[in-house]
Amino acid sequence: MGPRDAMPSFLLVASENIPVVDFDGTFFLQAGIFLLLMAVLNPLLFQPWLAARERRAQRIGGAQREAGELREAAAERQADYDDRLAAARDAALDLRAEKRREADAEEAKIVGEARKQSAASLDEAKVRIAAEVDAARAELSGRVDALANDITQQVLGRTA
C-alpha cells in the first residue's frame, strides 16, 4: 500500500486535475499589490533600515579603526616608556658605579693616610724605644761591675 492508496479517492481525482501554478487574473493583481507595497515600503521602511545598517557599520568600522589607532598609540607610548626607563636605569647604574669608584678611591686614600700615620708612629716608637734601650744600656753599663759584685755576694756569699 503506497501513499496514494491512503488518500481518499475524491482527493486523488481533484489533485490530478489541479495545476501546480495557476496563472489567472489574480496573479496580475497580486503582482500589482506587491509592486505597490514595494514602492511604498521602500522609502518608508527598507531605505531607512538599510541606511541605519550602513551608519551602524560605519560607526563600528570607525570604532574599530579608532581602537586600532589607540592600540598603536599605546604601543608607541609603551615603547617610549620602556626606552626612558632603560635610559634611567642605565643612568642610575652609571651613577652608582661612579659613586662606588669615588668611595673606593676615598677609602684607598683614607687607608693610605692611616698606614702612613701608623708607619710614622711606628717609626717614632722604634726611635724612642731604641733611645730608651741605649739610655738603659748606658746606665746599666756603668753599674755592671757593682751589680755583678752584689749578685756574686748573694749567690756565693763572698765578694768577687
Side-chain angles (χ1 to χ4, degrees):
M1 194 175 205
R4 295 185 125 202
D5 294 337
M7 296 177 86
S9 64
F10 70 89
L11 287 178
L12 287 177
V13 173
S15 67
E16 290 177 2
N17 295 331
I18 299 175
V20 177
V21 178
D22 187 20
F23 288 105
D24 56 4
T26 62
F27 172 78
F28 296 109
L29 180 65
Q30 290 173 1
I33 292 172
F34 177 78
L35 291 175
L36 178 67
L37 279 176
M38 284 298 294
V40 170
L41 291 179
N42 188 33
L44 295 177
L45 180 68
F46 297 129
Q47 290 301 323
W49 180 71
L50 290 173
R53 273 189 74 194
E54 181 63 29
R55 284 191 309 269
R56 181 175 181 234
Q58 288 175 353
R59 274 189 256 140
I60 289 172
Q64 288 175 340
R65 206 172 23 261
E66 184 179 348
E69 291 170 0
L70 289 174
R71 269 192 228 94
E72 290 174 8
E76 289 174 7
R77 285 185 179 176
Q78 180 68 35
D80 182 47
Y81 172 76
D82 289 342
D83 291 343
R84 290 189 324 185
L85 183 63
R89 187 178 300 120
D90 290 343
L93 289 174
D94 291 344
L95 181 62
R96 187 175 110 189
E98 180 183 337
K99 293 300 180 185
R100 183 171 293 254
R101 282 191 300 272
E102 289 175 5
D104 288 344
E106 185 68 25
E107 179 186 10
K109 179 182 172 185
I110 291 170
V111 168
E113 289 177 9
R115 283 186 179 158
K116 285 179 186 177
Q117 289 176 355
S118 64
S121 297
L122 183 62
D123 290 342
E124 287 177 13
K126 284 181 182 179
V127 168
R128 187 174 35 85
I129 291 172
E132 289 177 4
V133 167
D134 288 341
R137 281 188 181 154
E139 182 183 330
L140 289 176
S141 67
R143 293 183 35 193
V144 168
D145 289 335
L147 286 175
N149 283 334
D150 287 343
I151 291 174
T152 305
Q153 189 174 22
Q154 286 178 1
V155 172
L156 297 176
R158 58 185 176 100
T159 59

